[in-house]
Amino acid sequence: MGQVERVVFLSLVLDLFAFTIPLPLFPRIIEWYTKRESSDPNGFLSRTLYTVSTARSLLYKPTSNPQRWDIVLLGGLMGSVFSALQWFISPYIGSLSDKYGRKRVLLITMIGNLLSALVWLQSTSFASYLLSRVIGGLSEGNVQLAIAILSDVTTPETRAKALAHVGIAFAICFCIGPPIGAYFASRPLPSSFTASGIELNVYAGPAALTVVLLALETVFLVFALPETRGKAATSQKPAANGATNGSARGKANGTTQTSRQGTTADRLKMLKTLRRLHFLFLGVFSGVEFTLTFLTFDLFDWGNKQNGALIGSIGIISALLQGGYVRRAMSKVGEGNMAKRGISSCAVGLVFLTILPHMVANHPTIATRLLQAAAVCMAMTSATVVNSLTAYASLQCDDISVDPDTGKAVEEHPDLAKGKALGKFRSSGQLGRAIGPLFACASYWTFGPSLTYAVSAVAMFAISAGMKSVTKRRTVIPTKAQ
């Protein structure tokens, strides 16, 4: 791992650690605000919960504790709002980084993240807390800029292995962030916090930890991260005849080379295909993720601790797969084929979830095993799909072409600039994350879990079957060893 790669990985760990701390607290935070603001029926939170309850009652009427369902649903809707803001802002963050530099734009987004955490720390009303989430959604550019930075400093041959560190950081932080957030939420605030007399959020402890982590990350980036825009890593000369399946290799005299530099039109078309695939996949997958806790609550009567253990196990398996399998196999398999394997694994997991509800009453042990098998399949999906598609997208906007007559560099197409292209790619996925849980919840409450997961499985199999243009290998003209 090179120096810049280490800096990016460590900064991502700090950033995603801060991002995952509040995840398990959303329902409890909303419950706290509900108690504080329930006396005002015309207040912002009361009107918001009434709207959520009205929409939910059209689809599903729980037999007990309907307010709890409304609070859980509102927490999910807040996640959708965050993703929708990311869908809007990601292309602009990417374009600005192409123009002004990755480091400068990254530090500006860090200021926004710090402001978001500070607003959360002092938010004593639901409206102010929602404001903190809006600021965070418009400021979160760390992941996409980290991908752009890694694309700047790696060659096509090493790109997928470097980008796997992003997935590993996600897996690590989703394992440790939520439990630590829950731990600090249960601890009383130090007396120094309350001595000032300023009223703070009920979960000021986790909020303060988030502020500290983001401040450390900002200082670390100021001193450790160099500017990488325009500083491409040296690579072997690409083979002569166009794009292939990401890291598809040609071999000659013991030398392996990567060839994926097609015409501008081909690369733009491939980016469009990858954006559509990213949107469709995350639209289905995020809905499955969101409804999984409904399933365990409904059928197994699981609490936060058991759900946390399930999500943590998925993260651990995902991290092991990324570090032990994906990074090593990507260059042999190719990004497109690796993504297809992950999507197919998700489809199989959804088949298990489709069968599971029919086994709970008479065969509870089998139902539990089906849930565990589905979790393993989801871990495979988490370890492969987004990282592979991202690496493949980055390969479409890597090199500036050279005029064969003059030997001079030809100005790259603006839509192939790394920041803009990868920002639009991330934006497409965030749009899927914004709307996927809404459709999944509506289906879950209207048609039940079995039919919801069956339709999702068919959708995943269809996405996998439609990946021919992404997984197709083309003939590579080998080059002689230097």
Side-chain angles (χ1 to χ4, degrees):
M1 190 189 299
Q3 179 182 356
V4 174
E5 293 177 50
R6 283 194 293 271
V7 171
V8 170
F9 177 74
L10 291 174
S11 69
L12 275 176
V13 169
L14 289 171
D15 186 74
L16 294 172
F17 189 9
F19 176 79
T20 55
I21 283 174
L23 293 183
L25 307 180
F26 286 156
R28 290 188 242 175
I29 288 175
I30 297 173
E31 284 180 336
W32 181 68
Y33 285 126
T34 301
K35 293 176 182 177
R36 285 176 60 91
E37 302 178 26
S38 59
S39 60
D40 182 8
N42 295 318
F44 180 69
L45 178 58
S46 296
R47 287 186 280 118
T48 301
L49 279 173
Y50 176 77
T51 302
V52 171
S53 179
T54 302
R56 187 262 309 151
S57 63
L58 296 174
L59 303 170
Y60 178 68
K61 295 182 179 180
T63 55
S64 62
N65 200 4
Q67 188 181 49
R68 179 180 179 183
W69 285 99
D70 295 338
I71 289 173
V72 171
L73 180 56
L74 180 55
L77 289 173
M78 290 175 64
S80 291
V81 169
F82 186 91
S83 295
L85 292 170
Q86 284 281 280
W87 161 74
F88 169 76
I89 201 66
S90 291
Y92 295 103
I93 291 177
S95 295
L96 289 171
S97 76
D98 288 329
K99 185 175 182 180
Y100 297 107
R102 317 284 187 224
K103 181 175 181 177
R104 182 179 301 178
V105 175
L106 179 56
L107 291 176
I108 292 173
T109 66
M110 289 304 306
I111 294 172
N113 288 332
L114 277 167
L115 179 60
S116 172
L118 288 170
V119 173
W120 171 27
L121 179 65
Q122 301 183 64
S123 63
T124 56
S125 68
F126 178 71
S128 61
Y129 179 70
L130 187 60
L131 175 62
S132 76
R133 296 298 297 166
V134 170
I135 296 172
L138 292 173
S139 304
E140 182 54 54
N142 306 59
V143 174
Q144 76 174 82
L145 291 176
I147 291 169
I149 290 168
L150 291 175
S151 298
D152 287 336
V153 300
T154 54
T155 66
E157 291 85 357
T158 61
R159 181 73 42 78
K161 183 179 288 189
L163 291 181
H165 292 121
V166 177
I168 293 172
F170 263 100
I172 292 172
C173 293
F174 271 82
C175 287
I176 64 176
I180 290 178
Y183 170 78
F184 277 93
S186 65
R187 309 295 296 177
L189 286 174
S191 57
S192 57
F193 274 73
T194 56
S196 63
I198 300 175
E199 188 176 10
L200 300 174
N201 185 272
V202 66
Y203 294 124
L209 177 60
T210 300
V211 171
V212 170
L213 289 170
L214 292 173
L216 288 173
E217 181 189 0
T218 303
V219 173
F220 176 64
L221 288 171
V222 168
F223 292 103
L225 181 68
E227 179 54 60
T228 62
R229 181 192 55 161
K231 297 180 180 179
T234 57
S235 175
Q236 295 174 337
K237 181 180 178 181
N241 75 321
T244 69
N245 174 29
S247 293
R249 306 279 177 152
K251 299 184 179 181
N253 299 327
T255 300
T256 61
Q257 303 211 356
T258 299
S259 170
R260 86 289 166 272
Q261 189 78 355
T263 65
T264 297
D266 288 340
R267 295 160 68 193
L268 289 171
K269 182 179 179 181
M270 179 57 71
L271 280 171
K272 184 177 180 180
T273 300
L274 292 171
R275 288 196 298 268
R276 182 173 64 251
L277 184 60
H278 196 205
F279 164 73
L280 292 173
F281 165 72
L282 281 180
V284 178
F285 187 69
S286 62
V288 173
E289 283 183 314
F290 187 67
T291 58
L292 196 58
T293 54
F294 294 162
L295 180 77
T296 57
F297 176 77
D298 267 345
L299 302 184
F300 294 96
D301 197 27
W302 280 10
N304 292 333
K305 182 178 179 180
Q306 291 155 306
N307 279 325
L310 176 66
I311 296 171
S313 66
I314 292 175
I316 292 171
I317 296 171
S318 176
L320 292 174
L321 285 171
Q322 289 184 78
Y325 167 66
V326 177
R327 292 179 70 244
R328 291 175 170 83
M330 189 79 81
S331 60
K332 299 177 182 178
V333 174
E335 285 82 356
N337 282 316
M338 184 65 76
K340 185 174 183 177
R341 291 183 181 184
I343 292 173
S344 299
S345 175
C346 183
V348 173
L350 287 167
V351 171
F352 293 149
L353 293 179
T354 300
I355 301 171
L356 185 153
H358 303 288
M359 296 290 179
V360 173
N362 299 321
H363 305 282
T365 302
I366 295 177
T368 301
R369 295 292 180 264
L370 286 170
L371 180 62
Q372 292 170 344
V376 173
C377 292
M378 297 300 172
M380 174 66 177
T381 303
S382 298
T384 53
V385 180
V386 173
N387 284 342
S388 299
L389 294 178
T390 302
Y392 204 173
S394 74
L395 291 174
Q396 308 309 310
C397 52
D398 183 47
D399 295 334
I400 298 175
S401 58
V402 177
D403 190 303
D405 297 324
T406 65
K408 295 181 179 180
V410 178
E411 183 178 358
E412 65 181 345
H413 193 287
D415 288 335
L416 292 178
K418 290 191 189 78
K420 183 176 182 179
L422 294 175
K424 291 174 70 175
F425 173 79
R426 177 172 171 78
S427 175
S428 65
Q430 291 301 313
L431 181 60
R433 284 194 178 278
I435 66 177
L438 303 181
F439 283 102
C441 285
S443 175
Y444 187 98
W445 286 332
T446 304
F447 304 109
S450 285
L451 185 57
T452 297
Y453 294 130
V455 171
S456 299
V458 172
M460 281 296 186
F461 278 123
I463 293 172
S464 178
M467 292 179 64
K468 291 182 180 179
S469 63
V470 176
T471 59
K472 182 180 179 182
R473 290 179 181 269
R474 299 181 184 176
T475 303
V476 178
I477 299 176
T479 59
K480 295 181 179 180
Q482 301 294 321

